[in-house]
């Protein structure tokens, strides 16, 4: 049936092979090219996934055409009708442009033309958007960011039908709509346009895309290099608290390529916003490759955009969902259209990596351009290979010298550690140095909260960031890392946090059974150093790999230390006594503590504290080497949350008071399974009998792990020398241990 539909489309294309007008300048020339379109037409009916994508998009666009064009006067936040309608308009127009080029059916060109002239008629008299929340209000949308989305897509639609319009029509659109639109998001809103941020990337790409269609050099220079004299003062802030203008900061598209990306392709705002920014990065980069190849924008900074696609795919769990580092919405995955674009372009214009084809196969759709065709042909011809996600250390910072993110994977993502020791991440960063999250396959074991926002859900703050994003999600105590004296890292001040980053101590994934990442944070708290070492270990006597976590703190003064573990599941058992209050009260007054209810409070009854839970049909146990004076707090999110904006997540928190330098050592151990169908419980008990810090001084820390079978293993860390060739010697309990490199993991006889 699908083949018959495609054959019919071919007949339509053949019958309508005469454009409405002819123009000497070649169009399309942005994403689609004349040569590319010709190749697509020649392959219609022969490439299943491409044919299916054409048919699906044709059905979608035809349904919109049947409904008629609506360009309402803007009034709503994201999630409201006018917002969604204008968004759907630009998405549909871009798709209609691709269909026109492929099928040469005039109805798609007419649809775009009519829509553009409706916008032309309304734009000249359109005031600034009535919603006042944004630091840079748009006209069609409540913020210039979404206006820029519109222009990026509409530039492609205009390019697709350029030759069908008369000179008079083009002049009218360009003089009354496109140039005023480009001026508004740039010259009239430099605080949005002239900075390094995902917002500006969209703005730069929008101005650049329409500049290429119109062959406007002034606009193109503005897109690439920013506005020379923007009139902005240093120190201005956006809605998220980030700086708008920084001393010495360059602007424009090239600056947004240089600064936020590390040489490894990691984007400092985190994978959620990297996913969002990759579309304008890649689309404008590709347009420049086609129209201005001499600029070599697409290969700028040693092909960092293509590296960025690989980095993004490696920052996903086993289900393809991005790790919610910084402001990140859980559930966003490589199935998003932005990643369809990224995968297709990276395949066609990179090295045609066959592993990318397996991602495209899961996405089950391709772009309607030459890159989508190349991917679909590769799949048709059986070239796909599985995308293998190994352990990886991604550096942060323009030069790769501002910390990073370490991802340790055992097996086929049987256990995945995400360890964050990065820079602040611009205004979307969180105050969570040396934090981590843990996954078994695609299931969260210990979670990162992500953002506090219901994107495009109007009932929740207009679909925008909620105040709880600042009062909870960004705070230190909201993460699996150390909070001192109930204060946030850097006192929660962006201007301080943005000047610092954690430092990698060492990273080693050479031995698949013992993979280690270690980093140091020296600036989050005054006169205090935090050194966290995390090891994913597969050892005899354990059913599954486990995570060893050592947090060593050096401080000149006595403090209160809080180390939470945000577990995902139902509490099963513990080995300590605690009291549950009859009336729930917040744990504290500020810095995120005001949102935590104290549900239970106890103390260790032995040198080890064990806490077990069941999540997604699998068992987990946290074993910690605790001190008799420690407090064990059972907390749950939800205090001071009258609008129910926060999830009711739970944690076990280890609190250590009146202590200067100290060391926390824990093991997070996955084990066993439970089936609600067979009602069979397998291996529900921990395999750890004892976890002990057997040596701890400035030079070395050693942890012993005894399992229930009587087997002992020891992990020794060199605290001051991470060199791979340094030889070490340590005597403990009458035995001498010798090794080379920053750590030793061994079975003790």
């Amino acid at each position: 049936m699908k083949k018959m539909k495609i054959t019919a489309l071919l007949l339509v294309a053949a019958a309508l092979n005469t454009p409405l007008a002819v123009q000497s300048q070649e169009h399309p020339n942005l994403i689609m090219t004349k040569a590319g379109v010709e190749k697509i037409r020649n392959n219609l009916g022969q490439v299943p996934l491409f044919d299916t994508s054409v048919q699906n998009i044709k059905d979608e666009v035809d349904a919109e055409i049947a409904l008629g064009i609506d360009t309402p006067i803007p009034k709503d936040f994201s999630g409201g009708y006018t917002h969604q309608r204008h968004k759907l308009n630009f998405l549909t127009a871009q798709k209609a442009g691709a269909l026109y080029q492929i099928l040469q059916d005039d109805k798609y060109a007419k649809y775009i033309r009519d829509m553009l002239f409706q916008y032309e008629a309304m734009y000249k008299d359109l005031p600034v958007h009535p919603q006042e929340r944004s630091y840079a209000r748009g006209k069609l949308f409540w913020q210039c960011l979404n206006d820029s989305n519109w222009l990026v897509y509409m530039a492609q639609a205009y390019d697709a039908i350029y030759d069908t319009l008369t000179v008079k029509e083009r002049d009218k659109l360009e003089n009354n709509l496109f140039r005023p639109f480009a001026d508004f998001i740039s010259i009239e809103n430099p605080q949005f346009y002239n900075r390094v941020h995902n917002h500006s990337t969209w703005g730069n790409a929008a101005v650049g895309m329409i500049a290429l269609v119109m062959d406007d050099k002034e606009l193109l220079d503005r897109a690439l290099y920013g506005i020379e004299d923007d009139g902005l003062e240093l120190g201005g802030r956006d809605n998220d608290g980030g700086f708008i203008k920084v001393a010495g900061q360059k602007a424009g598209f090239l600056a947004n390529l240089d600064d936020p990306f590390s040489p490894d392709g990691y984007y400092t705002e985190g994978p959620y916003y990297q996913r969002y920014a990759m579309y304008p990065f890649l689309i404008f980069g590709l347009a420049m490759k086609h129209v201005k190849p001499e600029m070599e924008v697409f290969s700028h900074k040693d092909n960092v955009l293509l590296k960025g696609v690989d980095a993004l795919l490696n920052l996903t769990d086993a289900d393809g969902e991005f790790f919610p580092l910084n402001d990140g919405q859980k559930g966003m995955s490589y199935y998003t259209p932005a990643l369809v674009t990224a995968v297709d372009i990276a395949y066609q214009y990179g090295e045609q990596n066959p592993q990318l084809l397996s991602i495209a196969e899961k996405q089950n759709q391709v772009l309607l351009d030459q890159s989508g065709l190349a991917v679909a042909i590769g799949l048709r011809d059986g070239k796909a290979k599985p995308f293998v996600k190994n352990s990886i250390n991604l550096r942060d910072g323009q030069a790769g010298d501002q910390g990073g993110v370490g991802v340790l994977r055992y097996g086929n993502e049987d256990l995945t550690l995400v360890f964050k020791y990065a820079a602040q991440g611009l205004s979307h960063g969180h105050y969570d140095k040396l934090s981590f999250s843990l996954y078994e396959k695609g299931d969260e074991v210990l979670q990162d909260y992500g953002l506090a926002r219901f994107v495009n859900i109007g009932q929740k703050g207009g679909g925008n960031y909620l105040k709880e994003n600042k009062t909870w999600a960004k705070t230190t105590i909201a993460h699996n890392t150390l909070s001192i004296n109930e204060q946030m890292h850097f006192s929660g001040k962006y201007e301080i946090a943005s000047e610092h980053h954690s430092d990698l101590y060492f990273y080693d994934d050479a031995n698949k059974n013992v993979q280690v990442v270690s980093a140091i944070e020296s600036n989050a708290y005054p006169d205090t150093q935090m050194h966290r070492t995390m090891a994913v270990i597969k050892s005899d006597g354990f059913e599954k790999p486990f995570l060893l976590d050592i947090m060593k703190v050096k401080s000149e003064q006595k403090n209160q230390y809080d180390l939470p573990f945000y577990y995902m599941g139902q509490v099963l058992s513990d080995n300590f006594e605690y009291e549950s209050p009859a009336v729930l009260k917040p744990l504290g007054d500020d810095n995120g503590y005001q949102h935590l209810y104290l549900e239970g409070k106890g103390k260790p009854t032995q040198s080890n504290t064990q806490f077990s839970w069941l999540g997604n049909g699998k068992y987990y146990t946290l074993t910690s080497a605790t001190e008799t004076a420690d407090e064990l707090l059972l907390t749950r999110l939800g205090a001071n949350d009258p609008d129910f904006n926060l999830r009711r997540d739970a944690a076990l928190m280890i609190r250590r008071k009146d202590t200067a330098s100290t060391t926390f050592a824990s093991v997070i151990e996955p084990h066993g399974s439970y089936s609600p169908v067979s009602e069979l419980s397998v291996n529900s008990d921990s395999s750890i009998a004892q976890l002990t810090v057997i040596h701890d001084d400035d030079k070395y820390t050693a942890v012993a792990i005894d399992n229930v079978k009587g087997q002992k293993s020891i992990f020794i860390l060199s605290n001051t020398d991470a060199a791979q060739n340094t030889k070490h010697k340590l005597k403990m309990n009458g035995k001498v241990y010798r090794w080379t490199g920053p750590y030793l993991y061994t079975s003790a006889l």
Side-chain angles (χ1 to χ4, degrees):
M1 180 61 70
K2 287 182 179 178
K3 187 172 183 180
M4 291 178 64
K5 286 187 177 182
I6 294 299
T7 301
L9 295 179
L10 277 166
L11 293 174
V12 172
L16 299 171
N17 199 22
T18 303
L20 300 178
V22 178
Q23 170 70 16
S24 59
Q25 184 179 357
E26 187 173 275
H27 289 274
N29 62 4
L30 293 184
I31 309 310
M32 306 181 87
T33 63
K34 283 195 174 297
V37 170
E38 183 177 355
K39 186 174 182 180
I40 288 171
R41 292 174 189 158
N42 291 337
N43 278 275
L44 277 177
Q46 304 173 49
V47 189
L49 182 56
F50 193 87
D51 293 339
T52 299
S53 296
V54 170
Q55 188 63 56
N56 289 342
I57 289 177
K58 182 179 185 302
D59 292 344
E60 178 185 331
V61 174
D62 286 351
E64 280 298 311
I65 292 176
L67 289 173
I69 299 169
D70 184 19
T71 54
I73 298 299
K75 67 174 184 177
D76 299 321
F77 275 128
S78 50
Y81 173 75
T82 65
H83 181 101
Q84 293 301 97
R85 183 66 260 172
H86 289 298
K87 179 179 179 180
L88 189 56
N89 284 349
F90 70 66
L91 292 171
T92 307
Q94 186 269 337
K95 293 172 183 175
L99 289 175
Y100 171 70
Q101 284 295 324
I102 294 170
L103 304 177
Q104 295 176 288
D105 186 338
D106 289 349
K107 75 175 182 180
Y108 299 113
K110 183 179 184 302
Y111 174 72
I112 296 169
R113 177 197 175 279
D114 291 348
M115 183 185 292
L116 288 177
F117 275 105
Q118 280 193 213
Y119 277 113
E120 182 271 337
M122 71 184 292
Y123 192 77
K124 60 180 179 295
D125 297 321
L126 201 62
V128 175
H129 198 281
Q131 299 292 351
E132 300 180 355
R133 179 179 296 184
S134 176
Y135 76 105
R137 290 155 67 190
K139 286 192 173 183
L140 292 177
F141 300 91
W142 70 279
Q143 56 178 347
C144 281
L145 173 61
N146 301 99
D147 278 35
S148 298
N149 297 165
W150 185 95
L151 189 54
V152 166
Y153 283 86
M154 282 301 191
Q156 296 173 68
Y158 182 47
D159 179 47
I161 67 162
Y162 190 93
D163 288 346
T164 72
L165 301 170
T166 66
V167 172
K168 183 177 180 181
E169 287 174 326
R170 289 195 295 268
D171 286 346
K172 190 173 184 181
L173 287 174
E174 292 177 10
N175 293 327
N176 295 344
L177 178 62
F178 290 129
R179 281 194 180 88
F181 203 112
D183 286 342
F184 176 77
I185 62 174
S186 57
I187 299 296
E188 296 182 46
N189 283 278
Q191 77 280 16
F192 159 79
Y193 187 83
N194 228 38
R195 58 187 300 212
V196 170
H197 196 276
N198 76 79
H199 287 192
S200 299
T201 298
W202 275 97
N204 302 153
V207 172
M209 294 282 281
I210 200 63
L212 291 176
V213 183
M214 300 189 304
D215 195 20
D216 188 316
K217 184 180 184 303
E218 191 277 330
L219 283 182
L220 184 59
D221 286 345
R222 192 188 304 171
L224 294 173
Y225 309 111
I227 303 165
E228 185 173 350
D229 184 11
D230 56 24
L232 298 173
E233 297 181 357
L234 298 178
R237 304 285 187 112
D238 64 15
N239 297 108
D240 300 310
F243 289 125
I244 290 172
K245 186 169 185 176
V246 179
Q249 177 65 63
K250 294 181 180 179
F253 187 80
L254 296 180
N256 274 284
L257 266 179
D258 282 330
D259 203 325
F261 279 102
S262 80
D264 298 331
Y266 178 75
Y267 186 70
T268 193
E269 293 186 66
Y272 181 76
Y273 277 97
Q274 182 169 355
R275 169 272 326 172
Y276 180 63
M278 285 306 287
Y279 185 85
F281 272 128
L282 287 165
I283 287 294
F284 182 50
L286 182 55
M288 287 293 291
K289 180 180 178 66
H290 287 155
V291 184
K292 302 286 183 181
E294 69 277 8
M295 291 290 297
E296 298 184 340
V297 169
F298 202 57
S299 57
H300 190 78
K301 196 175 177 179
D302 192 24
N303 296 307
V304 73
L305 285 179
L306 299 180
K307 291 180 180 178
V309 176
D310 188 66
L312 257 182
L313 294 174
N314 274 287
L315 288 169
T316 62
D317 66 19
D319 295 331
E321 296 184 2
F322 297 115
F323 302 131
L325 301 170
N326 293 331
D327 283 342
Q329 177 166 245
K330 292 187 178 184
M332 177 56 71
S333 73
Y334 58 50
Y335 293 100
T336 179
L339 264 291
V340 174
T341 299
V343 168
D344 289 4
I345 290 177
Y347 177 80
Q348 168 74 345
Y349 299 98
E351 299 176 353
Q352 301 216 341
N353 179 1
Q355 292 191 31
L356 290 176
L357 295 178
S358 67
I359 302 295
E361 189 172 30
K362 292 179 180 179
Q363 293 170 333
N364 198 34
Q365 58 179 311
V366 292
L367 299 178
L368 300 192
D369 65 12
Q370 46 267 46
S371 68
L373 179 66
V375 167
I377 289 174
L379 287 170
R380 180 199 65 186
D381 295 346
K383 295 181 179 180
K385 294 183 179 179
F387 190 91
V388 179
K389 288 184 282 186
N390 297 310
S391 296
I392 191 170
N393 186 50
L394 296 169
R395 294 172 293 169
D396 194 3
Q398 182 176 357
D401 57 358
Q402 296 181 25
V405 174
V407 182
L408 299 182
R409 291 181 168 98
Y410 179 85
N412 185 23
E413 301 187 83
D414 298 326
L415 192 66
T416 301
L417 166 73
V418 184
F419 180 55
K420 184 185 176 204
Y421 63 97
Q424 182 62 20
L426 303 180
S427 60
H428 287 295
H430 289 191
Y431 300 95
D432 61 340
K433 299 303 180 187
L434 308 187
S435 65
F436 80 100
S437 54
L438 189 66
Y439 294 76
E440 185 175 8
K441 293 294 186 182
D443 296 326
E444 292 176 300
V445 179
L446 293 166
Q447 69 151 336
D448 187 309
Y449 187 86
L451 53 71
R453 179 185 181 187
F454 294 79
V455 181
N456 286 337
I457 299 177
Q459 294 92 331
K460 288 291 191 179
N464 304 314
Y465 280 99
L466 301 164
K467 68 181 188 303
E468 288 82 7
N469 202 57
K470 294 179 180 178
T471 62
W472 169 252
K474 285 177 177 280
T475 67
T476 303
I477 198 59
H479 300 82
N480 300 309
T481 191
L482 195 67
S483 290
I484 301 180
N485 300 325
E486 300 188 21
Q487 298 298 305
M488 292 166 61
H489 294 172
F490 309 106
S491 299
K493 295 181 179 179
Y494 175 79
E495 59 270 26
I496 301 174
S498 61
E499 295 178 356
H500 300 289
H501 58 83
S502 304
D503 292 301
L504 181 67
Y505 186 59
F506 75 93
Y507 172 89
D508 187 351
D509 64 7
N511 179 355
K512 70 174 184 178
N513 290 322
V514 187
Q515 303 178 58
V516 189
V517 60
S518 181
I520 296 173
E521 172 55 52
S522 302
N523 299 294
Y525 294 106
D527 303 317
T528 301
Q529 181 191 83
M530 300 183 294
H531 183 177
R532 194 168 208 174
T533 302
M534 311 200 84
V536 172
I537 299 171
K538 182 64 175 73
S539 182
D540 292 341
F542 290 85
E543 174 196 0
K544 298 180 180 181
F546 61 83
L547 175 67
L548 173 63
D549 172 24
I550 302 172
M551 173 73 87
K552 186 175 179 65
V553 190
K554 293 175 66 176
S555 180
E556 298 297 323
Q557 63 184 30
K558 291 184 177 181
N559 301 295
Q560 173 186 296
Y561 301 109
D562 290 335
L563 184 60
F565 295 89
Y566 286 93
Y567 62 91
M568 302 293 285
Q570 178 69 43
V571 176
L572 289 182
S573 63
D574 53 69
N575 68 347
F576 58 93
E577 295 182 357
Y578 58 89
E579 295 182 353
S580 294
V583 177
L584 296 179
K585 295 182 179 180
L587 187 60
D589 299 322
D590 202 358
N591 298 319
Y593 284 81
Q594 75 276 18
H595 289 304
L596 288 172
Y597 281 124
L598 180 61
E599 290 191 331
K601 182 177 181 180
K603 283 187 171 295
T605 56
Q606 48 189 286
S607 59
N608 267 195
T609 291
Q610 284 198 321
F611 181 81
S612 297
W613 66 95
L614 174 65
N616 293 302
K618 288 167 278 193
Y619 296 108
Y620 304 98
T621 298
L622 168 68
T623 304
S624 293
T626 46
E627 300 176 358
T628 55
D630 287 348
E631 293 180 354
L632 303 173
L633 309 179
L634 296 169
T635 68
R636 187 172 301 276
L637 192 54
N640 292 299
D641 182 29
D643 296 323
F644 294 88
N645 288 332
L646 298 171
R647 302 189 302 268
R648 270 37 185 169
D649 297 338
L652 173 68
M653 186 183 302
I654 301 173
R655 172 169 285 181
R656 190 166 294 171
K657 295 181 176 179
D658 199 29
T659 304
S661 297
T662 191
T663 297
F664 295 86
S666 302
V667 166
I668 297 94
E669 173 198 4
H671 54 91
S673 62
Y674 178 78
S675 169
V677 176
S678 65
E679 298 184 331
L680 180 64
S681 177
V682 178
N683 194 21
S684 62
D685 293 321
S686 170
S687 295
I688 294 180
Q690 188 72 19
L691 176 69
T692 312
V693 179
I694 56 176
H695 182 93
D696 192 27
D697 60 22
D698 287 344
K699 291 190 66 177
Y700 300 105
T701 297
V703 176
I705 304 171
D706 297 86
N707 67 25
V708 293
K709 296 179 181 178
Q711 299 167 312
K712 181 188 290 286
S713 58
I714 293 177
F715 185 94
I716 309 175
L717 176 69
S718 166
N719 292 322
T720 58
D721 189 342
Q724 291 292 333
N725 58 357
T726 299
K727 295 182 178 180
H728 298 274
K729 173 183 171 183
L730 179 64
K731 185 176 181 179
M732 296 185 298
N733 300 325
K735 183 176 179 179
V736 176
Y737 295 85
R738 292 183 173 86
W739 73 97
T740 302
Y743 78 93
L744 171 69
Y745 180 74
T746 183
S747 297
L749 301 178

